[in-house]
């Protein structure tokens, strides 16, 4: 910054904008004095490497930050932008705030509450020791504030997304007919679980062609983080609000009408299926979640998409996304230590390499490497289900999900990993563990037809590993899960096997765990 700019900034505020806060509506930017204030945006190694994020995730955030900074500068805002390889870069957000204060003459700091506990604690410590006032403003880009969620949770014995979702529907008016839900039902999930018919393939999905700024960010990532997981060749994520709107428009117009029926289906070599491809844009602030829901509702009102599809889509944002964020801020930091099933195994190497004969896992890992994406059923019922059945420690799975997906931020990833995928939270997020044998994957995909394992075989080296692991998982965790009402039927079946067979099922599962590389930590 020149001395003239420093003099102009004297007495103003450093306004911090983080890499997942790229929204014009950000509270840190409200009331900005363009003559005196300085917006600070910094690419720092601490944030790029606290887990070894997928190359596409780092490139996405750097490119989106650079595009957003250019947008602010075009409006006359003074932006102090620190690139990852800039001389003097302190490698940490807190360090860059201190450096900005020292070099600009600003007399206070204004920021919007950040999305992850780890960084929030670091910023809290900075504020406590700061020589200047630090104002932390609420992040109003979510539909339900953390305080509002805390009020809803109150003294409830159980937190169930379905009831939270209904309250959010009433508050927002989304898909409501007066005081009643549109169509007379809150939830059309029963109509949204169809397996993939033979020969049906999803429509082609246009991707965003990287602009010059994005290509430069990609080159920086390849140069500075060459050993991180993932490939950059297929990068096509939106890095501006306009690009995000383009992807949303494509989804609403061409994909949403069939989203409901096929949202749970999986197919080899088809990473996108009928999904929105907007999670990255929502999670870094390029799209507004409430406006996105209203766009989908408008398509239904106009007769362009059926109710089951639109309700299912809105539920993922208004219900699930807002719910898991609420749980995260309600339960942290203790939530990050939960391991209700006492899982103690290492994550098998094929989660990184994709080198496994399990067709569903190999396809999911390979497309994840190539795209930094997998849709929710691949995450929940393939990789998550397998890790739970193997008894992988939730810390290891947390790190994996945070590393490999471009849309993974801890507030959304951790409740999905420790809650939905592995039941490590003991039932805070979900009422039962989503454990399943190979029959589920066979019903919902085309994976099993080309797999070297036999999905119908229950035991032995040629049997589907999901089958070999399933009953042993239930028996191993009987003391914790045996009283779960939603597992009453499989436990009745298990009880009918007799003691000798149950011991054999445990031995079969342990042999499969060892063979798959899920050894003790």
């Amino acid at each position: 910054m020149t001395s003239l700019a420093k003099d102009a900034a004297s007495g103003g505020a450093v306004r911090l904008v983080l890499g997942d806060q790229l929204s014009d509506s950000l509270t840190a930017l409200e009331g900005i004095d363009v003559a005196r204030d300085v917006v600070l945006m910094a690419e720092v190694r601490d944030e790029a490497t606290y887990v070894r994020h997928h190359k596409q995730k780092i490139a996405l955030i750097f490119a989106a930050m650079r595009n957003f900074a250019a947008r602010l500068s075009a409006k006359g805002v003074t932006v102090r932008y620190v690139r990852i390889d800039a001389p003097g870069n302190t490698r940490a957000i807190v360090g860059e705030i201190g450096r900005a204060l020292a070099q600009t003459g600003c007399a206070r700091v204004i920021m919007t509450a950040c999305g992850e506990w780890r960084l929030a604690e670091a910023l809290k410590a900075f504020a406590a020791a700061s020589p200047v006032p630090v104002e932390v403003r609420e992040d109003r880009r979510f539909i339900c504030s953390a305080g509002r969620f805390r009020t809803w949770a109150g003294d409830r014995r159980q937190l169930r997304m379905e009831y939270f979702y209904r309250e959010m529907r009433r508050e927002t008016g989304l898909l409501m007919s007066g005081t009643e839900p549109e169509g007379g039902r809150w939830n059309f999930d029963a109509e949204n679980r169809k397996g993939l018919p033979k020969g049906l393939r999803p429509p082609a999905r246009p991707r965003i062609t990287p602009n010059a700024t994005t290509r430069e960010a990609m080159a920086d990532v390849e140069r500075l983080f060459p050993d991180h997981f993932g490939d950059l060749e297929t990068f096509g994520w939106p890095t501006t609000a306009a690009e995000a709107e383009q992807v949303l428009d494509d989804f609403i117009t061409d994909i949403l009408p069939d989203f409901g029926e096929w949202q749970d289906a999986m197919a080899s070599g088809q990473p996108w299926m009928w999904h929105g491809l907007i999670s990255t844009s929502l999670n870094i602030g390029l799209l507004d979640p409430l406006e996105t829901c209203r766009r989908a509702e408008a398509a239904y009102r106009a007769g362009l998409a059926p109710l089951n599809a639109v309700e299912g889509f809105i539920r993922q944002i208004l219900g699930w996304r807002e719910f898991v964020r609420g749980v995260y801020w309600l339960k942290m930091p203790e939530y990050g230590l939960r391991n209700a099933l006492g899982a103690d195994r290492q994550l098998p190497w094929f989660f990184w390499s994709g080198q496994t004969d399990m067709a569903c896992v190999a396809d999911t890992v390979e497309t994840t490497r190539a795209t930094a994406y997998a849709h929710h059923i691949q995450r929940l019922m393939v990789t998550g289900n397998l890790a739970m059945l193997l008894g992988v420690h939730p810390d290891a799975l947390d790190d994996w999900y945070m590393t490999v997906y471009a849309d993974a931020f801890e507030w959304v990833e951790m409740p999905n990993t420790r809650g939905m995928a592995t039941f490590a939270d003991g039932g805070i997020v979900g009422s039962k563990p989503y454990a399943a044998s190979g029959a589920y994957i066979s019903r919902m995909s085309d994976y099993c037809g080309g797999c070297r394992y036999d999905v119908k075989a229950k035991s032995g080296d040629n049997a589907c590993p999901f089958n070999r692991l399933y009953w042993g998982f239930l028996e191993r965790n009987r003391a914790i899960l045996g009283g779960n009402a939603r597992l009453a039927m499989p436990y009745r079946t298990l009880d009918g096997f007799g003691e000798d067979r149950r011991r054999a099922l445990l031995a079969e599962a342990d042999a499969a765990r060892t063979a798959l590389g899920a050894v003790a930590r």
Side-chain angles (χ1 to χ4, degrees), residues 262-340:
W262 313 121
Q263 64 176 286
D264 285 3
M266 301 175 285
S268 180
Q270 299 289 342
W272 318 128
M273 300 300 282
W274 281 265
H275 285 261
L277 307 187
I278 61 170
S279 55
T280 56
S281 297
L282 285 168
N283 290 354
I284 66 174
L286 302 181
L287 289 175
D288 177 83
L290 183 57
E291 177 57 27
T292 298
C293 290
R294 295 206 188 284
R295 291 276 301 279
E297 181 187 37
Y300 163 70
R301 300 290 184 194
L304 302 176
L307 181 56
N308 69 301
V310 173
E311 187 278 318
F313 175 72
I314 287 175
R315 181 163 20 96
Q316 288 193 4
I317 298 174
L318 179 67
W320 192 249
R321 184 174 184 267
E322 296 288 327
F323 177 75
V324 296
R325 178 178 180 262
V327 168
Y328 177 82
W329 285 110
L330 182 69
K331 298 295 185 179
M332 283 295 283
E334 184 270 341
Y335 193 86
L337 303 175
R338 284 181 170 258
N339 185 8

Side-chain angles (χ1 to χ4, degrees), residues 2-131:
T2 66
S3 59
L4 181 61
K6 180 174 179 178
D7 290 342
S10 180
V14 169
R15 293 175 178 261
L16 178 67
V17 174
L18 299 172
D20 60 348
Q21 297 181 338
L22 308 179
S23 309
D24 289 341
S25 62
L26 190 71
T27 53
L29 298 175
E30 289 181 357
I32 190 169
D33 183 341
V34 296
R36 302 170 69 210
D37 295 349
V38 174
V39 169
L40 171 64
M41 301 181 70
E43 303 166 0
V44 296
R45 279 193 173 268
D46 279 7
E47 297 307 306
T49 60
Y50 68 89
V51 297
R52 294 168 61 84
H53 298 287
H54 196 295
K55 291 177 184 178
Q56 288 198 26
K57 181 180 182 182
I58 303 175
L60 164 68
I61 294 175
F62 285 4
M65 288 175 66
R66 294 175 189 184
N67 281 314
F68 191 72
R71 179 183 172 110
L72 291 177
S73 295
K75 296 178 179 179
V77 175
T78 299
V79 180
R80 177 186 172 91
Y81 196 94
V82 183
R83 291 206 177 198
I84 187 70
D85 54 357
N89 189 319
T90 63
R91 302 171 61 101
I93 295 295
V94 166
E96 289 309 306
I97 299 173
R99 204 159 64 106
L101 287 171
Q103 295 179 7
T104 64
C106 287
R108 60 191 177 119
V109 176
I110 299 173
M111 66 181 73
T112 296
C114 71
E116 296 190 355
W117 181 269
R118 167 192 56 82
L119 184 55
E121 288 297 287
L123 291 170
K124 185 187 298 182
F126 167 81
S130 173

Side-chain angles (χ1 to χ4, degrees), residues 110-183:
I110 299 173
M111 66 181 73
T112 296
C114 71
E116 296 190 355
W117 181 269
R118 167 192 56 82
L119 184 55
E121 288 297 287
L123 291 170
K124 185 187 298 182
F126 167 81
S130 173
V132 302
V134 177
E135 179 185 353
V136 181
R137 296 176 175 176
E138 182 182 351
D139 190 345
R140 294 202 295 266
R141 299 172 305 152
F142 290 86
I143 302 169
C144 179
S145 70
R148 173 69 184 88
F149 186 87
R150 192 174 298 111
T151 299
W152 172 81
D155 57 358
R156 293 172 186 261
R157 292 180 56 221
Q158 293 183 323
L159 304 179
R160 291 292 169 257
M161 187 276 286
E162 178 66 25
Y163 300 109
F164 168 78
Y165 168 59
R166 293 180 186 184
E167 192 151 330
M168 290 298 100
R169 288 269 296 275
R170 293 186 185 100
E171 286 192 6
T172 61
L174 284 163
L175 291 181
M176 295 296 292
S177 179
T179 60
E180 297 299 316
E182 186 72 20

Side-chain angles (χ1 to χ4, degrees), residues 189 192-196 260-267 275 360 375-386 389 420 432-448 455-456 458 464 466-467 470:
D189 199 37
N192 294 342
R193 298 172 179 169
K194 292 186 178 180
L196 192 69
E261 289 183 293
W262 313 121
Q263 64 176 286
D264 285 3
M266 301 175 285
H275 285 261
C360 57
H375 72 67
H376 70 284
I377 296 299
Q378 291 171 309
R379 299 189 202 195
L380 175 64
M381 300 307 298
V382 177
T383 55
N385 179 27
L386 179 61
L389 295 179
M420 197 70 169
K432 71 166 187 173
Y434 278 80
S437 68
Y440 175 86
I441 293 169
S442 180
R443 184 170 69 252
M444 299 306 297
S445 75
D446 63 359
Y447 287 135
C448 299
V455 73
K456 295 182 179 179
K458 306 301 182 186
C464 172
F466 285 94
N467 295 346
Y470 176 75

